[in-house]
Amino acid sequence: MSTTQSDRLRGLVEPLVHAKDLDLEEIEVSRAGRRGLLRIVVDSDEGVELDVCAELSRAISEKLDETDAMGEGEYVLEVSSPGADRPLTQHRHYVRATGRLVKLQLPEAEELVARILAVDEAGLDLEVPGVKGRKPTARRVEFADVVKARVEIEFSRKDKKEEEA
């Protein structure tokens, strides 16, 4: 996708996304056979419900039909929330992952799996799980030291609502 097309699509789509109190995470244009594929990824602090994605998809489709931003050919529009394996790249991603287990790649190929306890402007306060019956330990990691980060999927962890019950 050309920068001009990307900028134009962002200019058309972003006001519609913000009107739903969502963050525009990604716009991707690719080819799927003879058709184009426009994938728009949105998120919020509370997550994104399917009904909101459907409403936003209709609004974006109407806006795109009024313009030639996608060219003359056919295209498929996908509006979705980020997947569980999405990399954490923005400060807001870390804030939304507070309380979750994350896998961090640090300098010199060090990997760390830990739970995010708190996030500030400079970095993360983490709880590193204990190994072989040892107690968890606290650790501080600065954002400048994070090479890559992803949320780890936990199948057996109770969420906060279950813990409070």
Side-chain angles (χ1 to χ4, degrees):
M1 170 172 65
S2 72
T3 303
T4 306
Q5 184 184 27
S6 175
D7 293 342
R8 187 163 181 214
L9 286 169
R10 183 169 290 280
L12 291 170
V13 169
E14 207 158 30
L16 301 171
V17 171
H18 289 303
K20 299 277 185 196
D21 292 323
L22 300 172
D23 295 317
L24 179 59
E25 294 291 341
E26 182 180 347
I27 294 178
E28 178 186 331
V29 177
S30 60
R31 301 291 317 159
R34 292 191 324 231
R35 289 192 236 174
L37 173 63
L38 174 58
R39 181 173 291 128
I40 297 172
V41 179
V42 296
D43 201 5
S44 79
D45 290 344
E46 295 78 36
V48 182
E49 293 184 6
L50 187 58
D51 290 343
V52 174
C53 281
E55 291 170 15
L56 184 57
S57 179
R58 284 189 290 275
I60 291 170
S61 180
E62 288 174 13
K63 184 59 115 177
L64 292 175
D65 287 347
E66 296 171 3
T67 72
D68 64 348
M70 286 300 293
E72 295 297 317
E74 293 181 20
Y75 67 93
V76 174
L77 172 63
E78 289 182 8
V79 177
S80 65
S81 62
D85 62 345
R86 168 222 24 224
L88 305 177
T89 57
Q90 304 276 330
H91 184 268
R92 68 177 178 262
H93 298 162
Y94 291 96
V95 171
R96 291 174 183 160
T98 300
R100 308 276 311 267
L101 198 63
V102 294
K103 183 177 193 176
L104 303 170
Q105 184 177 345
L106 303 173
E108 299 178 22
E110 178 188 359
E111 283 191 351
L112 174 65
V113 176
R115 189 166 312 282
I116 298 176
L117 299 177
V119 179
D120 59 34
E121 293 304 315
L124 309 165
D125 291 325
L126 305 169
E127 178 184 74
V128 181
V131 180
K132 296 183 181 178
R134 293 189 177 127
K135 291 184 178 183
T137 56
R139 181 161 175 189
R140 172 79 180 173
V141 173
E142 302 299 319
F143 286 124
D145 294 331
V146 176
V147 176
K148 245 174 27 176
R150 286 189 191 279
V151 170
E152 288 284 283
I153 305 300
E154 295 180 87
F155 293 105
S156 61
R157 180 173 166 83
K158 294 180 181 178
D159 67 15
K160 293 177 185 175
K161 291 178 184 172
E162 289 179 30
E163 289 175 0
E164 292 171 0

